Amino acid sequence: MRYAMVIDTLKCVGCSDCVVACQTENDVPIGYCRDWITETVNGTYPNVDLEFKSERCNHCDNPPCVRCCPTGASHVVEGGIVLVTSNECIGCGACIESCPYDARYQHPDGYVDKCTFCHHRLEKGQLPACVEVCPTKCMYFGDLDNPNSEVSKLLKNRKHKTLAPEAGTKPHIFYLI
Amino acid sequence: MEEELFSSGRNIPHIDPTLEVWHWPISIYLFLGGLAAGLLFFAGAVTILDKEKEYPTAVKYASIISPVALSLGLLALVYDLTHPLYTWQLYTTIRLESPMSWGAWVLLIVTPLSFLWVISYFSEIFPKWKLRLGILKKLESFTKKNRKKMAYALIPLSIILGVYTGILLSAFNARPLWNNAILGPLFLTSGLSTGAATILLLAKTHKEKNLFSRIDLVLIVIELGLIVHMLMGMYAGSEVQLEAMQLLVGGEFTLMFFGFVIILGLLVPAILELTEILGYKVPVSIPAILILIGGLVLRFVMVEAGQITRYLY
């Protein structure tokens, strides 16, 4: 099993509903976030195009944060999800420095926190909160190892990209373009 | 033209403070760790070569600084942790892939060893003080007997300590300025050089001053070579590395890097030491202090500038 998220940048309107849903679901302290929206403007007027992306931890296949963690608090669980055990984390910041996506932050309580793909919801058979609430239904979540899953089919049929593939992390958030 | 902005979520007021997690204590630690590595290396080397009588500063007086530097460095490290009560978690595991884990374990061995080293010379360094406790007296005579063994252990441990301060940074592939293999050797050389400069600063005999001037001169030349290699490597690198290099060459860290590290921290001391070796009278404290400041500024520049560099997508 290999969980992945596919986000359709052509459908995303940048409403930030995913951000708010995550903050509510995961009790993210005010001023912090596990996911965020970027707005990219390409070109000069009148030939411009605008792209919205909902970004978060990429749950990489080759996660530098797990490699750099001195205590093993950052680890990979079944499905390729990268998690942090808060009572093993010393707050050294090595994982934050090693993440090309800047997906991690130091929680005011001291430990490092990040997107968990809503691991607690997956265990109950539910979708991650961000995917669940998306009003344009531009986010898809599923198992890449299953060729019949929605995400596998989308990646087979649509043009897509990942963020900073040159960093060698093999990210698992895919953006349809 | 491409323009990207965070339209939600990120803690933007101070331009995303989540990105700058390492502050001044890390730079201070990297400097003190390198300095201690240099001092312990020379103390060990002089002892193994049986030259303790000729170079007393290297083995005795300068080595008082290493346990102090290591203790202060460790305090600085723990001060920068945001979850410090869990520091013991470092010692529940050995993670070979994580340089920080290596460093934590090496520090756990080196720091007590540096204290034992000073204890072995206690009555020679502080002739007026007497060790009253029986245990300490026994410890002194025990460490005195095993000094050579300690010296053999110190050589590899101090090299690992010195290299680790650089490898720690170069393991982060997300920060292009740090992510180059030269950083380990560069920080080791700089650490050895600051160690030699400290011995030079404290040395009393002309013979010892002369030897450590020469050693320091060689280390400065190596360090300059490594810096040139680092910049060349980045110059020939990818877009993100070019941008990282521009922070040091032409960007906001240029004055600090070229002014304090290369010119005042390396070139000027090299010229002064050379004139001293050639027989002219130069107070050795000037190059020694310049080298120490240069070493400190190098750590600050690398830690601060490195955290600005990132992948663009």
Side-chain angles (χ1 to χ4, degrees), chain B residues 48-85:
Chain B
I48 287 172
L49 298 172
D50 287 321
K51 301 270 173 138
E52 294 108 312
K53 290 260 154 50
E54 291 158 71
Y55 306 111
T57 315
V59 289
K60 274 189 253 172
Y61 306 110
S63 64
I64 310 171
I65 294 170
S66 42
V68 178
L70 284 172
S71 307
L72 288 176
L74 281 172
L75 270 182
L77 272 187
V78 175
Y79 177 74
D80 208 54
L81 296 179
T82 55
H83 221 199
L85 292 178

Side-chain angles (χ1 to χ4, degrees), chain B residues 38-50 58-59 117 147-148 150-152 154-155 158:
Chain B
L39 289 171
L40 292 172
F41 178 83
F42 289 120
V46 169
T47 307
I48 287 172
L49 298 172
D50 287 321
V59 289
W117 186 268
R147 211 179 267 150
K148 200 122 195 192
M150 280 170 29
Y152 276 110
L154 277 179
I155 297 288
S158 61

Side-chain angles (χ1 to χ4, degrees), chain A residues 94-171:
Chain A
C95 54
I96 298 180
E97 298 295 0
S98 71
C99 177
Y101 309 103
D102 301 325
R104 291 165 166 251
Y105 66 94
Q106 276 163 327
H107 192 279
D109 288 347
Y111 56 87
V112 170
D113 196 33
K114 63 181 267 301
C115 164
T116 60
F117 266 171
C118 279
H119 191 247
H120 60 289
R121 287 174 61 92
L122 297 180
E123 280 175 336
K124 286 187 260 172
Q126 295 169 314
L127 285 171
C130 50
V131 178
E132 188 85 57
V133 299
C134 179
T136 64
K137 305 258 180 288
C138 75
M139 300 168 77
Y140 307 88
F141 186 81
D143 181 7
L144 271 191
D145 284 348
N146 174 3
N148 296 319
S149 68
E150 201 173 14
V151 286
S152 301
K153 282 183 188 158
L154 277 166
L155 293 183
K156 206 154 77 187
N157 299 325
R158 294 272 304 270
K159 234 174 130 179
H160 58 268
K161 65 173 180 186
T162 53
L163 300 182
E166 66 274 21
T169 51
K170 301 201 170 58

Side-chain angles (χ1 to χ4, degrees), chain A residues 16 19 31 33 36-43 55 66-72 86-87 89-92 94 96-102 106 109-111 163 166-167, chain B residues 1-11 18-19 21-22 80-84 86-87 89-90 93 95 97-98 100-101 171-175 178 307 310-313:
Chain A
S16 304
V19 180
C33 59
W36 60 93
I37 304 280
T38 60
E39 230 179 278
T40 314
V41 181
N42 246 320
E55 296 182 10
V66 173
R67 174 166 53 80
C68 288
C69 179
T71 66
S86 62
N87 61 8
C89 173
I90 60 171
C92 66
I96 298 180
E97 298 295 0
S98 71
C99 177
Y101 309 103
D102 301 325
Q106 276 163 327
D109 288 347
Y111 56 87
L163 300 182
E166 66 274 21
Chain B
M1 199 198 90
E2 185 177 303
E3 193 184 357
E4 185 168 83
L5 50 102
F6 294 121
S7 62
S8 81
R10 305 295 289 248
N11 193 356
T18 53
L19 300 186
V21 291
W22 284 0
D80 208 54
L81 296 179
T82 55
H83 221 199
Y86 292 83
T87 310
Q89 286 281 0
L90 283 170
T93 172
R95 293 191 35 76
E97 286 182 302
S98 164
M100 208 181 264
S101 178
F172 300 132
N173 65 335
R175 309 283 164 234
W178 291 347
Q307 290 185 82
R310 53 172 308 214
Y311 274 92
L312 300 166
Y313 52 82

